[in-house]
Amino acid sequence: MPIIVQKFGGTSVADSQKILAAARKAIRAQQQGNQVVMVVSAMGKNTDVLVDLANEITDAPSAREMDMLLSTGEQVSVALMAMAIHSLGYKAISLTGAQIGIRTDSTHTKARIRSISTERMQKLLSEGNIVIAAGFQGIDENYNITTLGRGGSDTTAVALAAVLGAEACEIYTDVDGIYTTDPRLLPEARRLTQTSYDEMLELASLGAGVMHSRSIEFAKKFSVPIHVRSSFTDIPGTMIVAEGESADQAVGGATLTKDEARVTVFGVPDRPGSSLAIFSRIADRAVSVDMIVQNIGEEGKADITFTVPRDDLRATRHAVEEAVREIGAGGFTCDEGVSKISVVGLGMARQTGVADRMFQALADAGVNIQMISTSEIKISVLVARESALDALRAVHREFKLDVQPESPAVSTAPTQRTSNAVEVVRRLAGMEDLAIDDLTLDETQARITISHVQDKPGVAAAVFRQIAQTDVFVDMIVQGYGRGGQANLSFTVPHQQISRALMDVGKLAKSLDCGAVTSSPRVAKLSVSGIGLRSHTGVAIRMFRSLAEAGINVEMINTSEVRVNVVVAGEHGQKAMECLKQAFADVLL
Ligand code: ADP
Ligand code: ASP
Ligand code: MG
């Protein structure tokens, strides 16, 4: 009999009537001939209430006790849900994460699932029960209760769907599908009929809070079709499957990550290993770093700037303080008043001129870009928090995200589960372990750097508009925030096109009052691709470590959920590739 997993978020079980309505949905699915597993979140805002209570007692609650506390929210709702189903005359049983056998690691408040036993659930289902699983929780090897991180019930649901071989995972929530951006921020956002795992993975990790990003890692790894829909209406909602809505659309969605913090470590000795010293300490605290930019400064010292979620700033400061002492850097500065705006689209990899359109739209809206980081399917910029909403609106309009694309979806058929999923599980020690599927070396590119980019709207727009007119294909772009408000802007172009690009850029940089333009005619770009690379904080670290040990300096880096790219000096390409092969040998699929 087919299995369906249905997940109900907090607002969908906020009171007894809503619990009964959810119960009826599950019963209906069972009557239609399915075995049904429900995954339920804590009622309404109960998790927030529990967090506030803890914070009233101490501002540094123990992570283990936090998990003990937060897991109670879900325990309440699963019990009530079982009672609701009983009252309607059907069989149901509620189970905590521990009772199901959801084994996790011991990273309290951010635990990762290692394994899930299916025997008990299978037996209960075959006896005609609706199985009701508590979302967002598990148990570690010492029987400590763990939680998967805020919003983690989605991950429980998709993980259960994966191990049970469910037909689909239905996510019932307070919005009727996935929108081009958060509809609470922009009313003009449009509901997508379908979106791809890769885009959703990126959108979710960049702030589209509608799905927990790790749930999409599972969905992609195990080919689980996800159907996001409203608890309160019968609108068809959005399918998250292998392919997106339209093949030739450059941008499929935009996000605003509101609460970011920027950290700049200055006066860093420019030698291999400096970055590693900083980022490994941050990774040890399970904080994920984004938008890493290194500016080569004067006297062989560099400035390294990156962003972290604002909530993680305290842990990050401790890590950076230690690193600064160890490597003898000058010091560091932080800015908590920044937000990140990103656009995501699979079509970007095949089209030019996406970045310059985004930068121009921001310039026209008077928004100053503090940092830039691009990857194959995503462009992120850092802006002051007070201009973030204007920035999101400008970008959403520029890419016409409110308009239904003309070309139809590539395929509307749900993803077929492949035997690949079984193969993946067999090879991984833990279900959420890092899995790398490719390592590549690209030796065809050159790097251009414009120093002392003025801190005012419109500079990036002018540079990339000019380059777009000459048909030069720009690949990676990074702009960092330097001390004194001046930044370096670096990007890569095909090395045959470098002289053409340099001619234009040189003139332009002068007219824009920027500093010197430098270039390197041969650089090597190394890429690691896989799933959930950014949330696995160790990927960039492994790259930094293996390259540092070989004495190779990383000149540029960008990260996305599906790929991490680093640029090193051209002559180091082959050697760097060997290093990475060794560094990732144990997780290469
Ligand atoms: P649940 O409690 O059901 O898990 P969440 O609050 O976690 O619900 O997620 C639903 C919310 O996600 C919506 O109310 C919406 O404001 C927000 N959201 C953010 N980005 C998007 C997006 N791109 N599409 C739809 N909703 C989004
Ligand atoms: N109740 C948890 C939270 O609010 C998990 C979830 O709802 O997904 O974060
Ligand atoms: Mg949620």
Side-chain angles (χ1 to χ4, degrees), residues 197-217:
Y197 293 135
D198 284 352
E199 283 165 304
M200 196 63 226
L201 195 51
E202 219 56 74
L203 290 169
S205 90
L206 292 166
V210 58
M211 292 296 297
H212 195 233
S213 72
R214 281 162 47 198
S215 70
I216 314 296
E217 292 178 27

Side-chain angles (χ1 to χ4, degrees), residues 167-372:
E167 293 284 289
C169 181
E170 298 177 340
I171 304 285
Y172 287 94
T173 180
D174 61 358
V175 55
D176 54 17
I178 307 292
Y179 279 67
T180 49
T181 196
D182 187 344
R184 280 194 225 178
L185 296 177
L186 290 190
E188 64 266 38
R190 180 176 61 83
R191 181 163 42 84
L192 301 165
T193 48
Q194 180 175 332
T195 187
S196 64
Y197 293 135
D198 284 352
E199 283 165 304
M200 196 63 226
L201 195 51
E202 219 56 74
L203 290 169
S205 90
L206 292 166
V210 58
M211 292 296 297
H212 195 233
S213 72
R214 281 162 47 198
S215 70
I216 314 296
E217 292 178 27
F218 270 105
K220 182 176 177 189
K221 225 185 242 173
F222 303 101
S223 305
V224 181
I226 301 181
H227 188 180
V228 180
R229 51 191 312 188
S230 166
S231 280
F232 313 119
T233 70
D234 279 330
I235 291 173
T238 304
M239 291 301 303
I240 308 174
V241 286
E243 279 142 3
E245 198 177 50
S246 157
D248 40 46
Q249 229 186 342
V251 172
T255 58
L256 190 172
T257 321
K258 187 162 162 263
D259 293 318
E260 291 280 284
R262 176 190 56 72
V263 180
T264 301
V265 187
F266 56 86
V268 177
D270 188 21
R271 57 170 180 253
S274 294
S275 310
L276 175 67
I278 299 170
F279 297 124
S280 60
R281 281 183 173 73
I282 300 175
D284 286 346
R285 290 161 168 92
V287 172
S288 47
V289 169
D290 196 25
M291 298 189 79
I292 305 171
V293 184
Q294 178 160 328
N295 283 338
I296 317 292
E298 286 93 46
E299 299 156 16
K301 305 261 177 174
D303 291 345
I304 297 178
T305 302
F306 53 90
T307 59
V308 293
R310 186 159 68 152
D311 283 347
D312 289 327
L313 186 57
R314 188 161 48 177
T316 306
R317 275 176 190 275
H318 291 153
V320 172
E321 270 159 20
E322 277 175 28
V324 163
R325 265 198 308 274
E326 188 203 290
I327 57 181
F332 68 101
T333 59
C334 302
D335 181 355
E336 294 187 56
V338 289
S339 299
K340 182 166 66 188
I341 305 289
S342 312
V343 295
V344 172
L346 289 182
M348 229 180 261
R350 294 183 296 270
Q351 285 186 26
T352 54
V354 181
D356 69 277
R357 277 175 69 190
M358 176 167 180
F359 303 151
Q360 188 64 51
L362 294 170
D364 293 344
V367 175
N368 187 33
I369 302 174
Q370 298 188 2
M371 287 178 78
I372 301 172

Side-chain angles (χ1 to χ4, degrees), residues 22 24 31 62 64 77 87 149 177 181 280-281 313 316 333 350 352 354 367 401 415 511 513 518 534 588:
R24 285 190 204 99
Q31 285 177 327
S62 125
R64 180 189 182 278
S77 47
S87 75
T181 196
S280 60
R281 281 183 173 73
L313 186 57
T316 306
T333 59
R350 294 183 296 270
T352 54
V354 181
V367 175
L401 292 179
T415 322
S511 71
D513 233 6
T518 54
R534 203 133 47 99
L588 197 60

Side-chain angles (χ1 to χ4, degrees), residues 495-516:
H495 76 88
Q496 308 98 313
Q497 297 186 321
I498 186 160
S499 39
R500 178 142 43 109
L502 271 176
M503 230 158 44
D504 291 313
V505 171
K507 269 186 260 155
L508 192 65
K510 234 192 213 115
S511 71
L512 291 168
D513 233 6
C514 299

Side-chain angles (χ1 to χ4, degrees), residues 7 9-10 41-42 47 74 136 149-154:
K7 179 255 171 179
S41 287
T47 310
E74 271 67 15
F136 147 82
R150 295 304 305 272
S153 296
D154 298 327

